[in-house]
Amino acid sequence: MWNVSLIPDQASTTARRVDALFLFDLGALVFFTGLVVVLILGFLIRYRQSAKVNRADPPRTSVKLEILWIGTPLALGMTMFTWGFIAYYHQYSPPADATDIYVVGKRWMWKLQHPEGKSEISELHVPVGQAVRLVMTSEDVIHSFFVPAFRIKQDVLPGRYTEMWFRPTKAGRFHLFCAEFCGTNHSRMVGSVVVQTPEDYARWLSSGVGSASMARQGEELFVRYHCMGCHGASQMVRAPRLEGVYGSRVPIQEGSAIRFVTADDRYIRDSILLPKSQVAAGYEPVMPSFQGQIAEADLLKIIEYIKSLGAKGTDR
Ligand code: CUA
């Protein structure tokens, strides 16, 4: 019955950071609340009506006291802000060794796709110690991906990608919740994150029916939607080649000016769905929009395929 602890299960590097800050804030709060209570009670007793104390000429000003009660909250506030800022920045900067896992929210389930090809519903397997970057989108309404034991939560929005990362520190099964009201069965949009040892994870990844990697599946879609016709190897005139484009700086024609943007997940998604919004410099705006024709999960596979054609800095 008394299975209650001040700090819930702590299962990621982020959880440690968040908890340290939380305990510091809580400690400061408890200390100063206690101090105020003690001072009130102390003065109540010391200066009660019947007490024999000198009440003549009480002090009206004290520079030292002013400095103390302006300086202390200022220092405390700045410490909390700086600490919080560092933790926030850390939470939004995935490390270079992070592997990508793709998440599609849908009333009322989570679809999770590993680059190796395996996909899951409302259950996510990850190896302990491995940083994981989640690239997330929704097929319908706003959801929110929340893993309390990792202290991470991020809204999942239709029509765009949001990302979040974590590095699990211990094996086990942890709750996954949808933390944004999304309709009748919102409360049932639950699942779990299963953190395994690297050996168990490798075994899990290779178990069951083998499916092609995401990039391979993306390549098939690339052919099926006739992308090859313009982006293929022999067609350099109508459309830019996509080898090495992922992560590179791409020149975009904007009126008579040229603007450079980074070709990330969002850029590729927009190029497929809203091609007129960002036309590569030197090309005619002839690409048709695929809005409403490609499912979110398939878009992610195409992105993974384009990514596999070489990222910035890799020789191909
Ligand atoms: Cu999905 Cu609430």
Side-chain angles (χ1 to χ4, degrees):
M1 181 184 173
W2 292 106
N3 189 16
V4 179
S5 64
L6 182 61
I7 296 295
D9 224 351
Q10 213 183 37
S12 77
T13 51
T14 308
R16 289 184 198 153
R17 283 170 177 268
V18 170
D19 291 352
L21 176 57
F22 172 74
L23 286 177
F24 173 80
D25 288 3
L26 185 68
L29 186 79
V30 168
F31 174 78
F32 284 101
T33 306
L35 185 67
V36 169
V37 169
V38 166
L39 287 176
I40 289 174
L41 291 177
F43 288 138
L44 269 177
I45 294 163
R46 175 127 171 75
Y47 295 101
R48 68 193 185 280
Q49 206 170 19
S50 60
K52 302 263 180 296
V53 285
N54 177 15
R55 295 174 200 277
D57 194 23
R60 300 269 172 216
T61 60
S62 164
V63 175
K64 274 188 198 155
L65 211 55
E66 292 279 354
I67 291 172
L68 191 70
W69 71 41
I70 291 171
T72 309
L74 180 70
L76 210 57
M78 289 313 289
T79 307
M80 289 174 180
F81 168 76
T82 310
W83 195 340
F85 176 80
I86 292 169
Y88 182 88
Y89 184 80
H90 174 262
Q91 187 44 39
Y92 284 87
S93 324
D97 69 332
T99 61
D100 289 353
I101 289 178
Y102 297 94
V103 181
V104 178
K106 187 187 173 199
R107 288 182 288 181
W108 287 275
M109 63 172 91
W110 296 105
K111 295 198 269 186
L112 302 128
Q113 173 83 59
H114 295 253
E116 294 83 358
K118 205 139 180 159
S119 61
E120 312 182 65
I121 299 284
S122 298
E123 200 173 59
L124 173 61
H125 286 74
V126 286
V128 70
Q130 168 68 55
V132 173
R133 183 177 78 120
L134 300 175
V135 177
M136 309 189 287
T137 189
S138 165
E139 248 171 55
D140 38 45
V141 298
I142 302 178
H143 303 278
S144 185
F145 196 96
F146 179 32
V147 186
F150 294 172
R151 312 289 188 273
I152 54 166
K153 179 166 71 177
Q154 170 65 53
D155 278 7
V156 177
L157 309 168
R160 74 158 105 152
Y161 294 130
T162 51
E163 59 172 75
M164 176 165 78
W165 80 274
F166 60 88
R167 193 190 295 277
T169 50
K170 69 177 183 190
R173 179 179 283 269
F174 304 100
H175 288 296
L176 159 64
F177 295 114
C178 175
E180 183 68 47
F181 182 70
C182 55
T184 318
N185 287 330
H186 155 72
S187 62
R188 296 215 190 129
M189 194 169 164
V190 293
S192 38
V193 178
V194 181
V195 182
Q196 300 176 299
T197 62
E199 302 78 51
D200 285 350
Y201 178 72
R203 210 170 301 134
W204 173 84
L205 204 57
S206 58
S207 68
V209 280
S211 48
S213 71
M214 271 185 86
R216 184 78 195 77
Q217 296 180 47
E219 189 177 5
E220 278 165 24
L221 291 163
F222 201 74
V223 173
R224 193 192 310 163
Y225 286 102
H226 307 295
C227 312
M228 284 300 190
C230 296
H231 291 284
S234 57
Q235 303 280 346
M236 304 239 335
V237 191
R238 294 178 68 189
R241 294 290 302 279
L242 300 175
E243 280 81 0
V245 77
Y246 188 85
S248 69
R249 301 282 288 168
V250 181
I252 296 297
Q253 194 74 47
E254 244 174 32
S256 56
I258 286 180
R259 178 170 61 99
F260 280 84
V261 298
T262 301
D264 55 6
D265 303 328
R266 185 201 61 77
Y267 170 83
I268 294 171
R269 179 204 169 82
D270 288 352
S271 294
I272 298 170
L273 301 182
L274 309 160
K276 302 275 188 293
S277 71
Q278 40 182 21
V279 176
Y283 292 93
E284 292 299 313
V286 292
M287 175 159 163
S289 165
F290 287 85
Q291 189 104 52
Q293 299 179 45
I294 308 182
E296 291 296 343
D298 286 351
L299 272 173
L300 292 168
K301 287 172 187 166
I302 295 172
I303 290 173
E304 189 65 25
Y305 167 61
I306 291 170
K307 204 188 275 186
S308 76
L309 293 176
K312 191 186 174 188
T314 53
D315 288 321
R316 280 180 62 96

